[in-house]
Amino acid sequence: MSADVVIVGMGYVGLPLAQEAARQGLSVIGFDIKQDVVDGLNAGRSHIDDLAESDIQRMLEAGFRASTDESVLAEAPAVVVCVPTPLARDGAPDLGAVTGAVSTIARNLRPGMLVVLESTTWPGTTEEIVRPVLEEGGLTVGSDISLAFSPERIDPGNRTYGVRNTPKVVGGVTPACTERATAFYQRFIDTVVPAKGSREAETAKLLENTYRHINIALVNEMARFCHELGIDLWNVIDLAATKPFGFQAFYPGPGVGGHCIPIDPNYLSYTVRTRLGYPFRFVELAQEVNSSMPAYVARRAQDILNEDAKALRGSRVLLLGVTYKRNIADQRESPAVPLAEYLQEWGAEVSFHDPAVATWNLPDGPLERVPDLAEAVAGADLVILVQNHDAYDVEALAESARSFFDTRGVTTSSQTHRL
């Protein structure tokens, strides 16, 4: 079973990439080590938010197939690696999935093959980690095979920008590798942007998310002192955003989540510390600020209840929206988890509602979604809007709540508490 490309890793990055490639006429095989994922895809089932089962069905009709058989790699002229790169306990990137995938590719490597790494990692990974493994069998990058890095830019839930119309940065280990990878992506992506090399492409992805990380930390810190000074930060941001140049609006919240912003900047910080011996202070301070927001929200909740002559201990607190981003089911690194932990540790009776989550897996055990949202809101001592899903009529919910804490700045009533 041959294909134009084998995409390794059928998750939030690999599956949308496979969809777009298949949609543009490429023959695509999705390789994954999880048999249940492969079986589900071949049966037309989707396991990520951005693709419905109808999307998977159309992919299958276009010739897409998923497989756990690594021999499919040997038949493809191009292989793209889209596997997770989480943080290890010491803050270093965990490249276990990358090295495992590359070793599998190396066993099936043949002359003329293009290998592209899309998994976010620290600068130098493509040249220093991936290249030696691929060359162990005697084939040389740049002459026998091509190797490049192209950072994924998947934004789950974004209905405006997807794989095809988001510019694709591509950096090869050699100029010839860049040309080969560029030509490959141009077959199904509108705009491909060649980088000087793989290190520049790797660092570009880290800069993108570090920029967001730092600016979110800025407004999160401003939220604290603006509250103390009696200043409406949400109005401040709206006012600043009227300037047609020199300002981009960022908004505070209960913390940051997802697979990029809480994780990726640490790769850059780790590289600077381990290779150069000094800290990347902006990133480390931003991490400190953003990671402290769930505790800050919990303290604000305690203060709000105190204003109502209630203690947090024993109070019923309902959390609305526990995913890391609105209108998706993805819970990776969601700040709702540490927020719930703080509230429970301080004695609150925590319940939750989320239209996309039926069972919420917390460190202390699973929590089931409240069966009746209206009843739960009316019965809670405090309702906290953690994620503003479109399914919520927030103004109506705030109106029916005894006390409502809006961490997303979307309510207009003077009776609600805002971050």
Side-chain angles (χ1 to χ4, degrees):
M1 181 168 57
S2 62
D4 293 317
V5 60
V6 173
I7 298 175
V8 180
M10 289 286 96
Y12 283 86
V13 175
L15 192 52
L17 187 71
Q19 179 196 29
E20 192 57 47
R23 182 184 287 161
Q24 300 306 317
L26 277 70
S27 174
V28 183
I29 295 177
F31 176 81
D32 203 289
I33 60 174
K34 296 179 180 178
Q35 190 66 54
D36 60 331
V37 168
V38 167
D39 291 343
L41 290 173
N42 287 332
R45 297 192 299 271
S46 176
H47 56 281
I48 69 172
D49 292 303
D50 282 355
L51 273 72
E53 294 194 351
S54 58
D55 294 318
I56 304 300
Q57 188 59 47
R58 281 192 288 271
M59 290 172 64
L60 294 172
E61 292 169 358
F64 169 80
R65 294 293 182 271
S67 177
T68 57
D69 182 0
E70 68 177 64
S71 67
V72 299
L73 296 164
E75 301 298 323
V79 178
V80 181
V81 179
C82 303
V83 296
T85 48
L87 288 179
R89 290 183 179 275
D90 62 355
D94 181 353
L95 298 183
V98 170
T99 56
V102 174
S103 295
T104 302
I105 295 168
R107 290 194 297 269
N108 297 277
L109 201 62
R110 62 179 179 80
M113 187 178 287
L114 166 68
V115 178
V116 183
L117 176 64
E118 288 207 6
S119 305
T120 307
T121 183
W122 47 266
T125 298
T126 306
E127 288 188 48
E128 299 167 16
I129 302 297
V130 178
R131 180 176 186 171
V133 175
L134 295 180
E135 292 185 332
E136 283 178 355
L139 296 177
T140 302
V141 168
S143 56
D144 302 315
I145 56 175
S146 298
L147 174 62
F149 181 83
S150 180
E152 60 89 1
R153 284 173 161 176
I154 299 295
D155 185 18
N158 192 323
R159 300 306 177 193
T160 302
Y161 290 102
V163 172
R164 183 176 181 179
N165 65 346
T166 301
K168 198 86 171 81
V169 171
V170 176
V173 171
T174 68
C177 292
T178 300
E179 290 181 13
R180 174 78 186 283
T182 297
F184 164 72
Y185 281 112
Q186 284 175 333
R187 297 178 65 183
F188 62 101
I189 291 177
D190 292 342
T191 304
V192 180
V193 186
K196 183 177 180 180
S198 60
R199 291 173 184 264
E200 285 74 17
E202 290 163 336
T203 309
K205 174 59 186 292
L206 300 182
L207 175 60
E208 293 169 16
N209 286 330
T210 299
Y211 170 81
R212 288 183 55 76
H213 187 51
I214 289 172
N215 280 281
I216 291 171
L218 169 65
V219 291
N220 275 337
E221 188 158 27
M222 288 189 70
R224 302 186 188 204
F225 67 71
C226 281
H227 171 68
E228 296 294 330
L229 295 173
I231 298 169
D232 186 338
L233 176 60
W234 305 95
N235 183 235
V236 169
I237 295 171
D238 289 343
L239 295 171
T242 63
K243 186 178 181 181
F245 54 89
F247 181 81
Q248 180 180 357
F250 287 85
Y251 299 92
V256 294
H259 62 299
C260 288
I261 296 176
I263 305 296
D264 296 356
N266 292 285
Y267 300 159
L268 202 50
S269 178
Y270 172 81
T271 301
V272 173
R273 273 193 174 275
T274 56
R275 298 203 169 192
L276 302 179
Y278 53 82
F280 190 170
R281 290 181 294 173
F282 266 121
V283 167
E284 295 183 8
L285 180 58
Q287 184 68 26
E288 179 184 332
V289 171
N290 288 334
S291 64
S292 69
M293 287 306 291
Y296 172 72
V297 171
R299 288 194 296 271
R300 283 283 305 277
Q302 187 175 44
D303 293 341
I304 291 168
L305 286 165
N306 284 342
E307 291 176 14
D308 294 336
K310 296 177 182 177
L312 179 60
R313 183 170 298 278
S315 289
R316 291 166 294 182
V317 179
L318 173 66
L319 304 183
L320 299 182
V322 297
T323 59
Y324 90 86
K325 188 178 181 181
R326 64 185 303 186
N327 302 329
I328 65 172
D330 194 347
Q331 301 171 50
R332 288 176 294 174
E333 306 297 327
S334 171
V337 173
L339 171 58
E341 289 185 285
Y342 282 116
L343 293 171
Q344 289 176 329
E345 180 182 344
W346 298 344
E349 297 178 11
V350 175
S351 59
F352 91 97
H353 181 276
D354 191 299
V357 180
T359 302
W360 189 22
N361 294 312
L362 292 171
D364 288 342
L367 195 63
E368 298 300 318
R369 177 174 59 198
V370 295
D372 188 305
L373 176 57
E375 182 179 311
V377 168
D381 296 300
L382 175 63
V383 178
I384 304 178
L385 179 68
V386 185
Q387 193 54 261
N388 179 31
H389 294 301
D390 285 347
Y392 290 141
D393 183 343
V394 177
E395 297 290 1
L397 292 171
E399 180 69 25
S400 61
R402 299 179 188 177
S403 191
F404 195 91
F405 183 16
D406 173 11
T407 71
R408 296 295 175 176
V410 294
T411 52
T412 58
S413 172
S414 61
Q415 302 303 310
T416 62
H417 302 270
R418 298 207 295 176
L419 189 64

